[in-house]
Each structure stands twice: as C-alpha cells, then as structure tokens.
Amino acid sequence: MRLFRKDPVQIIAFQSYGTDTHFYLRGRALEDESIDLEHQGFFSVLVNTWKRLESDELKHVGITVQLPNGKCLQTTSDNHGYFKVKANVQDLKAMANAEGWLHCEVAFNDASIKGDIQKDNRFPAEILIPSSQVDFGVASDIDDTILHTGVVSTLKWRVLYNTFFKSAKMRLPLEGAADFYHLLHRGKSGANANPIFYVSHSPWNLYRYLELFLKQNNFPKGPILLRSFKDVFKRKKADEKPQKQKEILDLLKTYPDLPFILIGDSGEHDPDIYIEIAELFPGRIKAIYLRSVKHKKKMIRVKGLLENYKTTPALLVESSAQAIKHARENEFIK
C-alpha cells in the first residue's frame, strides 16, 4: 500500500570550502520529506518546519564523491546521516570556476539502500577554493546580523516564531546588509572575489532554509557553516568553545595567509568570541563589525568591552552605512 511506502532518499551536500591541495565536503544522507520552501501559508510553514526538524537520516551508508577530473573519494555517513570527506588532492584550483567554486557529484554506493534514489543517484555538490589573489575573507554571523531573528527577546520567543512560523521568503534582511557584503566580496579593486563564509549556531536542518534566504535577498554566495541539531541542546563542558568559534578558527587555520573581517551582532557572544579570536591570531583580523541590538544591558556590556580594546578595529554599528563608511576609509572596499 502507498501509505507504507518509504520516502525516496537523497543526499544534501552542504557548500563547503578547501584549498588547491585540500578537498573538504560535508553533507547529509536522508529521506526526502517533500519540503516545499516556496509555500508561505501558516499551516504549510508549520508542517515544513516539523519535517526539517524530524528528518529521517540514512545511517552508515557508503557515499562516493566524483571530482571533475574523474577522481573518486569515498566516505560513510554517521549515526545521524552526516558525512565528511577530507582528502589531499592536487591542483583543485584548476577545476574551479572564476569565482572559485569547484563543482562535483555525490552518489550512494551502498547496495543495502532500500527505496527510490532521487536524481538518478547524481547529487550536485560544490566547494569554494579562494583565489590566491583575494585580499581577505569574511566570516559573518547570520542571526540578527543579516537576518532579524529577535535573539535577545524574552525567552527567545521571537526566534521561535520567526523560525517556525515564517517561510524563508517572508523573512527580510537587515537594511543595506546585502550591499555591504557585495562590496566586501568585490574588495578594494571592485573586481575581487573575496570569500564570504556564513557561520551560525543554527542546526544543519535549516541549511536549505538559510540558503534560500541568502539567494532570494541577493547576498554573495558562500559556504554556510552550521551545527548538528543534537548539539543545540547538548550541555557544553566548561572549557569547550562554541561551535561558531571552532568554525572560524578552522577557517583561519585552513587559510594561514588570508586575513579576515569578522561580522556579528552585540546580542549574544559574538563580541567575546571575535575578540578572543583576534587575540589568538594577531594581525590576521582586519576589523570586527558588530551590529547593535535593542537591548540596554547587552549594549552597555559590549560598549564597555570595546572601550579599551585596541588590538583590532572593532566597531559597534547602528547601520550598514556606518560599516560601509569605515570599510571604505580603511580601503577594504572600493
């Protein structure tokens, strides 16, 4: 009976990053729950939200990644359907396009998989390999930095409402943010392809949701770095760093010769994380931009934190225009 038929299976490859000699791709193998991000009705959004969070993953299945030159890399999904492919491969830049994106294909290679495999078992994937000619990279938060979420609201009720009851097409970016990021992407020459990395505490379940938001609001294309849903509720050890901090540290280690601009907001822990990173990598952080949020106590704390901080230019900005002005004065942008 159709009622008991299993959903077709798929692979979602997350946009990742690498270097000329290091290939790194992340993704997830799971059943297709027929999530339609185009639907905007209240009930449709609520159903889609449930489907995103209640995903049926494919555990311990074999996966193959095929590069444009025909080389194949193998991996296996974990207990939650996630997979990583890390490999040393030569001359990856030669396979990338002008913007630095290397396109490849991902496929199941496991005969034990039951049910229909979508897209003839050929799923697109891509990693960003920045050109050696770029001036800097940008690591940006998403929540309340480019997308209003209400992260400082009481009991975070606005975060829950905006995430669960609003479609990606209903969400609006903060004014001027996309223009600022395009200026940073193009850099001082106006023709660069400085890489933009979007880093968030949101779970990977929201990957396609955030990908659609960035695309429909004309933000520069860039890897979206999230975390596992199980980690959202996991109690961290006293000395454990936030996942966002780990991701940015990985970027700095992957590109040891590339300086970075860090962008976040004053609502949560971005100021502390970014200042600690700048202290760990002196001379590597060109600037820190923190978008101010409407929360008196948090603003007082952040202003006190920045008042005597001199290691890296760190600005608390009310608007994208203020950040653009500073970036232009410091010749980060044209």
Side-chain angles (χ1 to χ4, degrees), residues 21-23 71 73 86-90 92:
T21 58
H22 181 64
F23 182 92
K71 181 178 178 63
L73 307 172
K86 291 184 178 182
N88 293 321
V89 183
Q90 298 299 313
L92 288 172

Side-chain angles (χ1 to χ4, degrees), residues 10 52 62 78 87 100 214 285:
Q10 62 177 339
R52 284 200 302 269
D78 65 14
L214 292 170
I285 308 303

Side-chain angles (χ1 to χ4, degrees), residues 92-103 126-129 221:
L92 288 172
K93 281 185 182 178
M95 297 183 242
N97 64 20
E99 286 281 309
W101 289 98
L102 186 157
H103 297 269
E126 52 190 354
I127 71 168
L128 178 62
I129 303 176
K221 183 178 174 181

Side-chain angles (χ1 to χ4, degrees), residues 125-230:
E126 52 190 354
I127 71 168
L128 178 62
I129 303 176
S131 163
S132 56
Q133 305 303 312
V134 300
D135 293 329
F136 53 81
V138 176
S140 171
D141 181 36
I142 296 177
D143 301 333
D144 282 321
T145 300
I146 59 177
L147 169 65
H148 177 66
T149 61
V151 74
V152 297
S153 62
T154 304
L155 299 179
K156 293 185 169 41
W157 70 269
R158 287 189 181 275
V159 176
L160 298 175
Y161 175 79
N162 287 327
T163 302
F164 293 163
F165 302 116
K166 282 189 174 183
S167 70
K169 288 204 167 187
M170 292 171 63
R171 307 293 294 275
L172 296 175
L174 295 176
E175 185 177 359
D179 292 337
F180 179 39
Y181 284 55
H182 274 289
L183 288 169
L184 291 170
H185 179 59
R186 293 194 294 268
K188 182 181 176 181
S189 71
N192 268 19
N194 295 324
I196 311 287
F197 303 90
Y198 301 97
V199 188
S200 172
H201 284 310
S202 295
W204 286 109
N205 305 62
L206 295 179
Y207 176 81
R208 283 184 164 174
Y209 181 94
L210 294 173
E211 183 184 39
L212 177 59
F213 167 81
L214 292 170
K215 184 177 181 179
Q216 72 177 9
N217 289 291
N218 194 34
F219 280 87
K221 183 178 174 181
I224 303 171
L225 310 175
L226 308 177
R227 60 175 171 167
S228 174
F229 189 62
K230 64 182 176 63

Side-chain angles (χ1 to χ4, degrees), residues 282-299:
R284 292 284 306 280
I285 308 303
K286 296 175 76 69
I288 296 171
Y289 295 112
L290 298 167
R291 188 179 287 273
S292 62
V293 298
K294 295 179 180 180
H295 191 289
K296 187 175 180 179
K297 286 185 178 180
K298 292 182 183 293
M299 291 296 293

Side-chain angles (χ1 to χ4, degrees), residues 18 22 30 46 69 90 124 135 205 260 262 269 298 302 314 330:
H22 181 64
L30 68 168
L46 187 59
N69 64 358
Q90 298 299 313
D135 293 329
N205 305 62
F260 270 79
L262 307 181
H269 304 295
K298 292 182 183 293
V302 173
N330 285 271

